[in-house]
Amino acid sequence: MHDDAALLSAQVQAELDTIKGWFFPSDRRIFSWLLARQTELGVHGNLVELGSYLGKSAVLIGDYVQPGETFTVLDLFEGETSDAGNAAEQVDSYATLTEQRFAENYLRFHPQLPTVVRDVSSVIVDRVPAGSCRFVHVNASHLYDHVAVDVDSARTLLGEQGIVAFDDYRSEHCPGVAAAVWEGVLDKGLQVIGVSENKLYATWGDPEPWRTALLEWLTDDQNAWGQRLAVYDQSIVRAKAWFPRAMPPPPAPAPRPVAAPTPAKAPAVAPSAPGSGASGPSAPGARRPVAESAPAKAGAAGQPAEDVRREGRVKHLAKDLLPPVVSRHLARGLRARRR
Ligand SMILES: C[S@@+](CC[C@H](N)C(=O)[O-])C[C@H]1O[C@@H](n2cnc3c(N)ncnc32)[C@H](O)[C@@H]1O
């Protein structure tokens, strides 16, 4: 298990947020846990990312590459693609992407670049030896035809204890990813280890030891939460994890009054002590605790679990029953009370 200091330095939380991208705290922590655990267990192999964009997830994966392992990132970058749907994705979502910008970002964190391939994702099986990988991150095109090929490529590339992570497996803007991934489960022997809000983690090896260990980690770590869910004949893990919030510095001691001609009035509101439940300024890049905290544990800012639950219930009720203008006002009041 990581301690908090190691976790923050390994995952370069604030610095990683200087790179634009779609790689959120739950998955950053799950990637780190999976990649570190593979190494702890002696699982050795190459790492591949299909779709790196500006390098947000690649930088973190790069933290875990071991001697003798290769890391290959593949992206179209500013290159051409052959089909119109994929070309439209590029224009709509990644118009300013260049390989140069990826490289500049990556080199801010690592002394050298991974192997970079500028091409469509289907060529990956010609660039990395079959069966040589321990980790493949599939995050390139979101169209069914492409992702179905990426599922096959991951199967070809992964070794026995290899793990594949699929991005956007359940988003409304890309049903083709969901179709290709669940087709992998139903028709291609893919075994799901677990799901987060944005990614699905799976293997063609034995999933059960990974599920058990993942759930154990999520349960033991105070900044994580997990449960088992059943889908088809598989008992998979639902996972959430977040970053511990940095403590604000303690308040400077107030100067002692020298002489008081008249008795001083007690302040209307006492200054809050660190850890008292009142939230201080967030660390740069920290996620809002409500978004990332889970129901059964204390909030990421140390807010007692019961308070978090009560606030959640009030918010839901307000949203369901009150006109938007009133519920917004109520939410503002709740936020002010927490400050
Ligand atoms: C969602 S972004 C990747 C996000 C990145 N992994 C991160 O964490 O920030 C998808 C990337 O896939 C690339 N891409 C789209 N279609 C592709 C294809 N057919 N082959 C390879 N890369 C593709 C895009 O250029 C884009 O950079």
Side-chain angles (χ1 to χ4, degrees), residues 19-23 49-58 74-77 81 83 86 89-90 94 97 119-122 137 139-142 146 167-168 199:
I19 302 178
K20 195 175 145 199
W22 299 267
F23 192 36
E49 177 166 85
L50 303 178
S52 51
Y53 190 51
L54 290 170
K56 196 162 195 153
S57 45
L74 178 150
D75 200 292
L76 288 168
F77 297 111
T81 177
D83 78 87
N86 197 194
E89 278 186 297
Q90 292 306 102
Y94 318 117
L97 174 64
D119 213 326
V120 289
S121 59
S122 55
H137 181 204
N139 194 3
S141 171
H142 287 40
H146 289 267
D167 187 61
D168 264 338
K199 298 195 195 277

Side-chain angles (χ1 to χ4, degrees), residues 73-318:
V73 306
L74 178 150
D75 200 292
L76 288 168
F77 297 111
E78 62 270 52
E80 303 278 307
T81 177
S82 51
D83 78 87
N86 197 194
E89 278 186 297
Q90 292 306 102
V91 172
D92 291 346
S93 305
Y94 318 117
T96 59
L97 174 64
T98 63
E99 185 176 340
Q100 176 68 22
R101 288 184 68 203
F102 165 83
E104 283 165 8
N105 283 335
Y106 196 89
L107 291 172
R108 283 200 283 124
F109 295 84
H110 297 290
Q112 63 197 59
L113 287 172
T115 304
V116 179
V117 178
R118 190 199 294 192
D119 213 326
V120 289
S121 59
S122 55
V123 309
I124 194 67
V125 290
D126 305 323
R127 302 302 182 93
V128 177
S132 74
C133 291
R134 67 172 166 112
F135 190 77
V136 175
H137 181 204
V138 176
N139 194 3
S141 171
H142 287 40
L143 301 173
Y144 168 80
D145 288 346
H146 289 267
V147 186
V149 172
D150 295 343
V151 171
D152 296 337
S153 299
R155 187 180 194 175
T156 302
L157 294 175
L158 286 173
E160 207 178 306
Q161 297 223 47
I163 289 174
V164 57
F166 292 100
D167 187 61
D168 264 338
Y169 72 100
R170 60 175 209 113
S171 300
E172 66 184 330
H173 69 283
C174 50
V177 180
V181 170
W182 290 109
E183 179 182 65
V185 173
L186 288 174
D187 294 350
K188 301 177 181 175
L190 190 60
Q191 301 283 326
V192 181
I193 295 168
V195 290
S196 68
E197 202 173 337
N198 296 292
K199 298 195 195 277
L200 180 145
Y201 298 84
T203 181
W204 276 275
D206 181 359
E208 199 42 45
W210 282 107
R211 292 172 183 154
T212 307
L214 176 61
L215 190 59
E216 220 171 274
W217 168 61
L218 295 166
T219 309
D220 289 351
D221 191 302
Q222 62 168 331
N223 297 298
W225 176 88
Q227 68 175 171
R228 286 272 187 167
L229 295 174
V231 55
Y232 300 124
D233 59 345
Q234 304 192 16
S235 164
I236 71 173
V237 175
R238 176 184 172 201
K240 278 183 190 291
W242 54 93
F243 288 105
R245 258 182 117 188
M247 274 290 195
R256 293 180 72 170
V258 182
T262 48
K265 265 192 177 175
V269 182
S272 59
S276 65
S279 58
S282 315
R287 296 274 289 173
R288 290 166 65 87
V290 173
E292 284 298 321
S293 63
K297 289 185 185 170
Q303 202 176 355
E306 186 45 43
D307 284 0
V308 174
R309 277 197 293 270
R310 194 176 316 118
E311 267 188 36
R313 282 197 298 270
V314 171
K315 273 187 198 156
H316 276 291
L317 265 178

Side-chain angles (χ1 to χ4, degrees), residues 8 11-19 28 108-109 284:
L8 289 170
Q11 296 179 65
V12 285
Q13 185 196 194
E15 289 83 357
L16 204 54
D17 281 326
T18 62
I19 302 178
R28 291 193 210 175
R108 283 200 283 124
F109 295 84

